[in-house]
Structures are given as C-alpha cells and as structure tokens.
Amino acid sequence: IPKITSSKKELRKKYNIDSDIFVCLIVGKNGESVDRKSLLAQFEAFGQFQKGKNCKLIYHDSHSTDLSSGVINLKNIVDKIKMHNKIIVTDKTIYTDQQIAELYCLSDVLLCASKSEGFGIPMVEAQFHGLKVISNNCTSMFDNTSWGVCLEPKIISKSINGINSWSHADPNKIAETLTDFYNNSFEKYNMKPIDKNKY
C-alpha cells in the first residue's frame, strides 16, 4: 500500500477540490455482467444524501470514464437525481496505486456497500489510509469493516452456511449514515482503526 505524505489539504488543492467539501468516494468497476458493486443503490443513496449539502461524489472506475456504459447506465441515474454538479468522474490519468491512495486520503468516506465481495481490497486499503468506510453486511465485508460501518442489507438474496453471500444494500440506511458522517455524529457507531497487523 503506497505511503502518502501529502496532507488532505494539499491533495484537495492538487485535485482542485475545495477543502470544505464533504467528499464521498466509490472505487468500483461497472463492467461486470451484474451490478455486483451495488452502484445503483449507492448512487441513489448519495442522491438522497446530497440535497442541501456541500458535498461531492468521486466515482473511480479504472476501466471506463463513460457513465453511460457498463451494466448500469449511471448517467441516467445522475440525470434522474439531478446531481451533475455534485459528481466527479476520474479520467484516464488516474490509474496508479499511488493516485488511488491519494483519492482515499482526500476523501471523507468510501462507499463500498457491494452485493458481494471476495475480499474487498478498496475498503481495506481505504481504512489503512484512515478513510472511514460504509459497507454492506455480506460475505467478507463484515469481517473487514473496522474503521467504518457495516450496514444491514435491504434484501438477502442468498445465504450459504449462515453467511450472507448476495445481499442488496439499503440506500436509505446508506444515506442516513452519510448524514451522520457529514455531521460528525459517530457516537452510535462502534468504529476502531483497522488492525494493520491482521493484513
């Protein structure tokens, strides 16, 4: 995991993002045959959350910069919830591990409420850099969420040996948690820094 020496303020200046903006980050590929990364639910959640708030959503898909391509037409969602001025889509100049680590370090929260994860590398990397995460209680996400909140899903489609293996994230719960994070209201959450030795 790359070491970042620049401050959050310096990184915001580098990427031309005002220091007083609350930044949500999604790192996920919209190129699978299904919406495994739960982009639809997470964009909808941000749409609910962003009303009247000084915030932005950075979406990083290392394989595409076109919101209208992929399994989910994210451009339609952006149009529907009128968040054109609130979304930043990374371009092809953002591709190295160092640059992705900088995105973690300039953001306020990583949305990683996938329907299923084998491991969830972005959510672990984000926590290593001190970025809070919002995940979905399914597969590995429960065990790998420490500096953040693992939310109960809206629907559990499949369970194996008592473990959720395919679950649909709840946009309402994500939006509520984002509002708490925005207001620096963490009292009801049991968050602790990730145990780096475990990884």
Side-chain angles (χ1 to χ4, degrees), residues 33-72:
S33 59
V34 294
D35 182 25
R36 184 178 64 82
K37 290 293 184 179
S38 205
L39 297 172
L40 177 59
Q42 293 183 101
F43 269 62
E44 286 180 356
F46 182 82
Q48 290 178 36
F49 158 76
Q50 55 98 23
K51 295 170 187 169
K53 296 182 179 71
N54 186 20
C55 61
K56 296 273 186 187
L57 172 65
I58 297 176
Y59 174 57
H60 176 72
D61 179 344
S62 59
H63 295 80
S64 175
T65 59
D66 182 3
L67 286 175
S68 61
S69 67
V71 66
I72 298 293

Side-chain angles (χ1 to χ4, degrees), residues 33-142:
S33 59
V34 294
D35 182 25
R36 184 178 64 82
K37 290 293 184 179
S38 205
L39 297 172
L40 177 59
Q42 293 183 101
F43 269 62
E44 286 180 356
F46 182 82
Q48 290 178 36
F49 158 76
Q50 55 98 23
K51 295 170 187 169
K53 296 182 179 71
N54 186 20
C55 61
K56 296 273 186 187
L57 172 65
I58 297 176
Y59 174 57
H60 176 72
D61 179 344
S62 59
H63 295 80
S64 175
T65 59
D66 182 3
L67 286 175
S68 61
S69 67
V71 66
I72 298 293
N73 188 327
L74 296 173
K75 184 180 182 303
N76 285 347
I77 299 167
V78 170
D79 291 344
K80 180 182 174 184
I81 57 184
K82 298 177 175 56
M83 54 182 263
H84 301 92
N85 63 336
K86 296 277 182 95
I87 187 163
I88 300 168
V89 180
T90 60
D91 60 28
K92 290 295 185 183
T93 66
I94 310 293
Y95 64 93
T96 67
D97 290 343
Q98 180 79 16
Q99 290 169 312
I100 295 168
E102 288 177 346
L103 293 181
Y104 295 141
C105 292
L106 68 80
S107 299
D108 294 294
V109 62
L110 176 76
L111 295 180
C112 191
S114 303
K115 292 177 181 175
S116 183
E117 285 287 349
F119 180 73
I121 290 173
M123 64 181 289
V124 172
E125 288 179 341
Q127 291 173 89
F128 261 69
H129 289 290
L131 180 62
K132 297 175 184 71
V133 301
I134 296 175
S135 66
N136 187 27
N137 187 0
C138 183
T139 55
S140 63
M141 289 176 277
F142 177 78

